[in-house]
Amino acid sequence: MSFSIASPAVEMRHITKRFGPVIANDSVDFTLERQEIHALLGENGAGKTTLMRILYGLYHADDGEIRIKGEPVTIHSPKDAIARGIGMVTQHFALAAPLSVTENVILGYTEGFRLGLPDARLRVAEAAQRFGILVDPEALVKDLSVGQRQRVEILKALYRNADVLILDEPTAVLTPQEVEQLFEGLRRLQAQGLSVVFISHKLHEVMDITDRVTVLRGGRVVGVVPTAHTTQSELARMMVGRPTYGVSKPDAARREDVLLRLENVCAEDNQGLPALKNVSLNVHAGEILGLAGVSGNGQRELAQVLEGVRSCTGGRVIANGHDITNAGPDKVMAAGVGRIPEDRHESVVAEMTVAQNMALEHLDEFVRNGMLDKRRIREHAEALIEAYQIKARPDDIIRTLSGGNMQKVILARVLERNPAVLVVAQPTRGLDVGATEYVRQKLLEQRQRGAAILLISEDLDEILELSDRIAVIYEGEIMGVVSPDVDIEHLGLLMSGVHQT
Amino acid sequence: MDQAVWLTFLVGVLAATLRVATPLVWASIGEVYTERAGILNLGIEGTMFLGAFVGFAVAARASDAGFGGYLWLGLLAAMAAGVLMALLMGLLSVTLGVNQHVSGLGVTLLGIALSLFGFRLVFGESSVLPSVEPFGQFSIFGDLPIVGQVFKQYLLTYIAFLILVPVAWWVLYRSSFGLNVRAVGENPEAADAAGVDVYRTRYAALAIGGALMAVGGAFLSLAQLGAFSPGIIAGRGWVCIALVIFARWDPVRATLGALLFGAVFALQLRLQTLGFDLPFEAFLALPYLVTILALAIAGRNAPYPGAYLKPYRRE
Ligand SMILES: Nc1ncnc2c1ncn2[C@@H]1O[C@H](COP(=O)(O)OP(=O)(O)OP(=O)(O)O)[C@@H](O)[C@H]1O
Ligand SMILES: [Mg+2]
C-alpha cells in the first residue's frame, strides 16, 4: 500500500445556494483539514450558517459537491450527516424545552426501543464530565438559562461521537470562564482527532482557538488564511471590506435627575426561587449604567421585571416619574420605557413582515376608521429602514433577516420614540463587527440625548466600553457599583460573589 | 332507599362507568399520541365512526360465512380502516401542510359519509337492523358478590385499562419512539437536527392513533351493541378531544378523564330511571356539561405541545 496524506475531513466545492433572489452562497470552496479548528468569519448575512446547514443536511445546495474524508457524498438530512460523523450546534436553540437534558441529548441517538433513562442519564453525565460541560442531566431544558441551554447543545453534538463538529456561534451566550472551559475542551478533543468549524463574531476568540480562517463576504469566499499569519484588524478588514474603528465614548452627559429608580426589588424565577433580592439601583438621565454579572444571576429576571413581563414580589420601580411596579408592558411603554429584550427572536413576531413588526407596539397609531392603515404602516417602515440603514424591505418576513438587521428593526422601533428610559439586554449578542459598532453607537447617541440607560450584558468588554457606572449582580444581589476604570480583577471578584471590602 | 336497592344502584353505576369509559379510553389515548406529535386530529369522530362500521360490516359478513373468529376479524379490519384514515390525515396535514382544523373536519365528514354509504351498500335497506352476536362479558372475580358484578366487563375493557394505558404511558415516556413523538410535537426543528425523521414519526403517531380510535368505535358496534346505527358515536370523538386537553396530553390523566365522563354518564342513565321530573335531554346533556366544566377548570394554562397545529417544513 502506498502512503498517502489523509484526505481532508471535509471538502466543499463550488457550493451555491439561492433563496429566491438572494444568493446566500456563491460558488463557495471550503476545506476543513483533519484535526483542524477552522474559523468561518463574515458579517451578518455573509452566508456562514447557510454553508454549514448545507453540510449538515438541513439545506440542499443548488450546485456543488461535498467530500467527506475524500469520499464524495450526498447529504439528504441531518441523519446522513450524523452517520458520517458530523455534528452541529445550530445558531438558534434546537432543543425541546419541556424535555429533560438527558432526553434532549439522546434524542435521535438511541439504540433499541427502550430508552433506559437511568443508564442514559449516567452516560450523559459522564459525557458532560469528559467534555467539561457543567449541566444537570435531569433538569428540564425550559428551566435552564440561555447559557445553560447552549451547553446542552454542545453536549448533544459531542455525545454523538462526531469527529467533525460545527459550532455556529457557540460562545455568543457563554461567559468568559465558560468560553475558556469550552476552548480547553476543544483543544483536548482536537488532540484526540476532532475537527471543528468555529463560527464567531468575536475576533479575539478566533485568534485564540483557530488554526485557519475562511472569510466570507456577500456569499463569496474572500480569503483563507492561517490564523498565525493574520491579525484581528486584517480579519475585520477582509470581512467588512474597509477598516473598522470601534466606537468612541463622548464625554459624560449625566444629569442629576434620576429617571429609573429601583427600590428593594425582589422577584422569583420560573421555579419560584428568589432571583432578585432587594435590588436597588438609580439610573440618571444621560447615563449608561452597566449591569455586569455571570449569566444566570438574575439579569434575565431583572430585565423582565423592567419590561413588565415578570411581577415583583417586593419593592418599587419608578420610571420617568411613574410607578411601574407590576404594571404590564403597555403601561411600562406608556411611561416612556423603551425595551430591547435579550432574545430578539422573542421580541418580534417571526412570521410577520418588517413593516408589521415595526408598527406592532403602537398599533393604535396606525388605525384609520377602525381599520389598520396599511399605507401608513408601510411608509413608517420605509422611513425607519432609511434612517437606520436596515438591509431589508418592508414586506420581508422578519424571520429571514440576519441577526444584525433584525436587531436594527427592534432598535429602530424603540428609539424612534425617544424613550426617557432604555432597558437593554445583550444588545449585540451574535452581531457582527459592523452591526455591533452600529448598535453601540446608537446607544451612546441616546445617552447624549439624555436617556437613562440600563445596559444588561454578559459581554464584559461591552460593559466596560459603554458604561458610566457598573453595577455587579451576583445571585440576585447587587454586590457593588463601581466606575468603569476599575481594576478588572476586582470586578471579577465581585462577579464571583466576593463582597466589596 | 333501603340498602339492597342502594347497593344495586351503586354496582350498576360502577359497572356502567367502566363500560362507557372504554371507547373513550381507546380513542383519547389515540388522540394523545397524535397530538403529542403536534397534530390535532379532528378526524377522530369520523375515524371512530368508520371503525364502528367497518368492524361491524366485516364481522357480519364473516359471521354469515360461518367464520368463528368474526369479531376479531372485524376488529382487525376496523384498525386497518383507522390507519388508512390516519394516513389520509397525514397526507393532508403532514405532507401537504394543510390547516389541521380543515383537514381533520374533512376526514371526519369523509369517515361518516363512507360509513353510511358503505352500510347501504353492504346491507341494503332491510327493515330489520342487521346484527351480530357481540363480544361477551365476563368477570375476573367470578361470581363474587359486588366486585364480581362490577367487573363483569368486555375483554376490550380489560385490555384498555390493564394493558393499553400502562403500555401507552410506557411507550410515550420510556421508549425511543415516544421520545421522538414528544420531540417532533414540541420542536420539530430540534428533532430534525438531532436526526429524527419528523415526517415518519408524525405518520407513525397518526397511524397508531387512528388504529386506537377505530378500536374505540368498533367497541361500540362489536361489543356493546352488536349492531351499527348512524347515531352510534354520538360525539364521543369530540369528547375525546376535550379529554385530551383536560389530560394535558397524558395517557393516564386521559383515562381518569374518561372515567369521570363515564361516571357522570352512568349516573345520569340511572337517574333517568328514578323518575325525576326533568326532560331526559337534561340528563343526556349532563356528561357533556361536566366535560366542559372540567375542561374549563383543568384546561387553563394547558401546556400545549410547542408545535401544535404547525406543519413542519425544512426551509
Ligand atoms: N431560510 C431562508 N430563507 C430566505 N433567506 C434566507 C434563509 N436563510 C438565510 N437566508 C438569507 O441568506 C443570506 C445568508 O444568511 P446566513 O444565515 O447564512 O448568514 P450568516 O453569515 O450566518 O449571518 P449571521 O452572522 O447573522 O448568522 C442572508 O441574506 C439571509 O437573509
Ligand atoms: Mg449565522
Side-chain angles (χ1 to χ4, degrees):
Chain A
M1 232 181 84
S2 66
F3 177 77
S4 71
I5 298 174
S7 36
V10 173
E11 284 174 276
M12 301 179 82
R13 294 231 187 92
H14 310 307
I15 300 290
T16 298
K17 174 72 183 174
R18 290 185 195 85
F19 293 106
V22 180
I23 304 188
N25 287 156
D26 188 356
S27 194
V28 171
D29 290 327
F30 175 75
T31 305
L32 176 69
E33 298 294 342
R34 296 197 186 187
Q35 279 187 286
E36 174 185 45
I37 301 186
H38 193 134
L40 203 50
L41 266 183
E43 290 187 283
N44 293 126
K48 310 178 292 291
T49 298
T50 303
L51 187 66
M52 288 302 112
R53 286 177 77 97
I54 288 171
L55 179 56
Y56 194 58
L58 284 167
Y59 289 162
H60 299 272
D62 298 326
D63 200 8
E65 59 172 28
I66 301 176
R67 284 164 192 263
I68 294 183
K69 300 184 191 80
E71 195 191 326
V73 293
T74 335
I75 298 172
H76 295 288
S77 70
K79 207 175 176 66
D80 293 347
I82 292 167
R84 307 232 172 233
I86 300 174
M88 178 163 182
V89 177
T90 49
Q91 194 169 358
H92 309 304
F93 304 128
L95 296 170
L99 307 191
S100 73
V101 169
T102 299
E103 287 175 322
N104 268 286
V105 170
I106 65 174
L107 174 65
Y109 199 69
T110 47
E111 272 167 31
F113 193 64
R114 251 185 94 246
L115 277 182
L117 275 179
D119 287 353
R121 244 176 248 134
L122 286 180
R123 282 199 305 277
V124 170
E126 187 267 333
Q129 180 93 38
R130 184 153 38 100
F131 303 125
I133 295 171
L134 287 172
V135 60
D136 172 10
E138 290 186 45
L140 299 183
V141 167
K142 69 174 155 66
D143 296 331
L144 300 183
S145 72
V146 179
Q148 289 167 321
R149 289 184 196 201
Q150 185 79 60
R151 271 177 262 167
V152 177
E153 286 273 37
I154 294 170
L155 180 59
K156 194 165 105 185
L158 295 180
Y159 182 81
R160 277 147 221 259
N161 298 319
D163 56 16
V164 170
L165 180 62
I166 305 164
L167 299 174
D168 197 348
E169 299 189 32
T171 61
V173 291
L174 302 186
T175 64
Q177 292 90 326
E178 288 168 336
V179 170
E180 203 34 60
Q181 272 181 14
L182 169 69
F183 284 6
E184 271 166 34
L186 288 181
R187 288 197 187 95
R188 201 165 56 231
L189 292 161
Q190 180 185 22
Q192 292 165 16
L194 187 74
S195 321
V196 180
V197 181
F198 182 83
I199 302 180
S200 171
H201 290 294
K202 296 181 185 163
L203 296 176
H204 63 94
E205 290 177 357
V206 169
M207 298 303 293
D208 183 8
I209 185 81
T210 67
D211 303 306
R212 279 201 304 160
V213 185
T214 293
V215 183
L216 292 177
R217 193 197 313 148
R220 290 164 167 270
V221 176
V222 291
V224 183
V225 289
T227 312
H229 296 167
T230 188
T231 60
Q232 290 194 33
S233 50
E234 189 189 336
L235 289 177
R237 191 165 41 74
M238 281 167 82
M239 271 163 61
V240 201
R242 62 170 170 82
T244 55
Y245 305 102
V247 295
S248 58
K249 189 160 78 181
D251 291 341
R254 172 172 157 165
R255 299 202 303 259
E256 270 321 300
D257 40 334
V258 172
L259 290 185
L260 177 65
R261 183 193 299 281
L262 282 80
E263 291 170 6
N264 295 314
V265 169
C266 299
E268 291 172 349
D269 64 13
N270 289 345
Q271 284 113 291
L273 302 172
L276 296 176
K277 302 167 193 159
N278 292 314
V279 171
S280 295
L281 289 171
N282 286 336
V283 191
H284 293 258
E287 173 186 54
I288 298 183
L289 176 68
L291 187 72
V294 177
S295 162
N297 273 291
Q299 295 98 316
R300 181 150 61 133
E301 287 78 9
L302 182 62
Q304 288 172 338
V305 162
L306 296 177
E307 287 156 13
V309 294
R310 178 179 295 275
S311 48
C312 342
T313 50
R316 291 208 307 160
V317 184
I318 315 281
N320 199 19
H322 303 267
D323 188 333
I324 57 161
T325 318
N326 290 335
D330 49 340
K331 301 247 170 51
V332 170
M333 264 189 300
V337 179
R339 313 162 302 153
I340 299 180
E342 163 172 353
D343 186 348
R344 67 183 71 101
H345 295 271
E346 277 181 15
S347 55
V348 295
V349 182
E351 299 299 328
M352 295 194 357
T353 66
V354 169
Q356 289 166 337
N357 271 289
M358 282 173 162
L360 207 54
E361 285 191 337
H362 297 278
L363 271 189
D364 48 319
E365 295 168 21
F366 297 94
V367 174
R368 205 182 53 194
N369 306 330
M371 305 275 280
L372 279 184
D373 185 345
K374 294 223 172 97
R375 228 187 60 206
R376 277 262 302 288
I377 289 178
R378 202 194 156 83
E379 284 165 3
H380 170 249
E382 277 165 358
L384 286 185
I385 285 171
E386 163 100 36
Y388 288 82
Q389 302 151 36
I390 303 169
K391 283 201 208 97
R393 288 156 300 188
D395 294 330
D396 286 343
I397 301 294
I398 202 148
R399 174 175 54 83
T400 65
L401 263 56
S402 75
N405 282 312
M406 200 187 287
Q407 188 72 323
K408 281 184 182 179
V409 170
I410 297 168
L411 212 58
R413 182 171 77 183
V414 171
L415 298 190
E416 68 150 341
R417 315 197 69 83
N418 292 327
V421 176
L422 260 175
V423 178
V424 184
Q426 324 294 352
T428 62
R429 178 182 283 170
L431 299 194
D432 66 41
V433 180
T436 298
E437 240 176 54
Y438 180 90
V439 171
R440 292 181 182 168
Q441 197 58 55
K442 285 287 166 199
L443 291 181
L444 287 171
E445 280 172 30
Q446 292 297 311
R447 166 182 180 262
Q448 295 320 106
R449 184 179 60 78
I453 303 174
L454 179 66
L455 170 67
I456 302 171
S457 178
E458 281 153 24
D459 182 344
L460 207 49
D461 295 335
E462 176 160 278
I463 294 263
L464 289 169
E465 193 174 320
L466 298 181
S467 308
D468 295 296
R469 290 184 301 145
I470 300 172
V472 181
I473 192 166
Y474 175 77
E475 296 199 337
E477 272 181 77
I478 300 296
M479 303 302 293
V481 180
V482 297
S483 105
D485 46 24
V486 63
D487 175 32
I488 209 84
E489 223 157 272
H490 179 64
L491 198 57
L493 283 177
L494 287 177
M495 284 169 67
S496 54
V498 179
H499 267 283
Q500 217 166 359
T501 45
Chain B
M1 249 191 288
D2 77 34
Q3 205 168 1
V5 176
W6 174 229
L7 204 61
T8 320
F9 176 79
L10 194 68
V11 164
V13 167
L14 288 178
T17 298
L18 289 174
R19 197 171 59 241
V20 174
T22 301
L24 302 179
V25 170
W26 283 99
S28 62
I29 287 182
E31 185 72 25
V32 164
Y33 266 72
T34 320
E35 292 194 18
R36 271 295 176 114
I39 296 151
L40 168 67
N41 189 356
L42 291 181
I44 184 171
E45 179 85 5
T47 306
M48 291 180 79
F49 214 92
L50 193 68
F53 163 68
V54 169
F56 175 73
V58 168
R61 281 291 172 259
S63 165
D64 290 350
F67 177 61
Y70 61 96
L71 289 170
W72 293 104
L73 192 67
L75 198 65
L76 266 178
M79 289 172 79
V83 170
L84 284 178
M85 292 297 269
L87 294 183
L88 174 63
M89 181 68 193
L91 175 69
L92 294 171
S93 65
V94 179
T95 307
L96 300 176
V98 175
N99 174 303
Q100 291 177 13
H101 292 114
V102 175
S103 47
L105 290 175
V107 167
T108 279
L109 290 176
L110 180 72
I112 294 175
L114 275 180
S115 305
L116 297 178
F117 180 61
F119 189 77
R120 286 225 172 160
L121 222 55
V122 177
F123 299 102
E125 274 187 271
S126 66
S127 48
V128 278
L129 211 58
S131 64
V132 294
E133 180 61 28
F135 280 110
Q137 290 174 309
F138 65 96
S139 164
I140 47 169
F141 293 105
D143 290 333
L144 280 176
I146 307 175
V147 283
Q149 290 161 290
V150 170
F151 289 99
K152 193 160 184 295
Q153 296 289 350
Y154 300 102
L155 181 60
L156 284 175
T157 304
Y158 284 118
I159 295 179
F161 286 95
L162 300 179
I163 299 176
L164 175 65
V165 176
V167 167
W169 182 90
W170 189 89
V171 168
L172 193 58
Y173 295 108
R174 292 289 180 267
S175 79
S176 51
F177 172 70
L179 177 59
N180 291 354
V181 168
R182 287 181 288 141
V184 301
E186 199 53 55
N187 187 343
E189 288 82 11
D192 191 11
V196 176
D197 189 325
V198 176
Y199 286 15
R200 259 177 55 182
T201 307
R202 286 190 161 175
Y203 266 101
L206 271 167
I208 291 172
L212 297 182
M213 292 166 193
V215 173
F219 171 84
L220 294 167
S221 62
L222 295 180
Q224 212 166 306
L225 298 176
F228 177 83
S229 77
I232 191 162
I233 303 300
R236 284 181 176 81
W238 309 134
V239 170
C240 289
I241 296 284
L243 284 181
V244 169
I245 299 171
F246 164 81
R248 298 171 167 245
W249 297 271
D250 178 81
V252 174
R253 286 184 56 129
T255 305
L256 296 178
L259 282 171
L260 174 71
F261 182 89
V264 180
F265 197 92
L267 207 60
Q268 64 86 11
L269 275 182
R270 306 287 134 161
L271 290 178
Q272 279 188 50
T273 62
L274 290 184
F276 284 102
D277 192 18
L278 271 173
F280 76 99
E281 286 90 350
F283 290 104
L284 279 181
L286 196 62
Y288 299 92
L289 286 175
V290 171
T291 308
I292 291 172
L293 206 68
L295 192 63
I297 294 168
R300 282 166 59 222
N301 303 325
Y304 281 85
Y308 200 61
L309 298 176
K310 288 188 199 130
Y312 178 62
R313 286 271 169 284
R314 208 185 268 164
E315 317 265 346

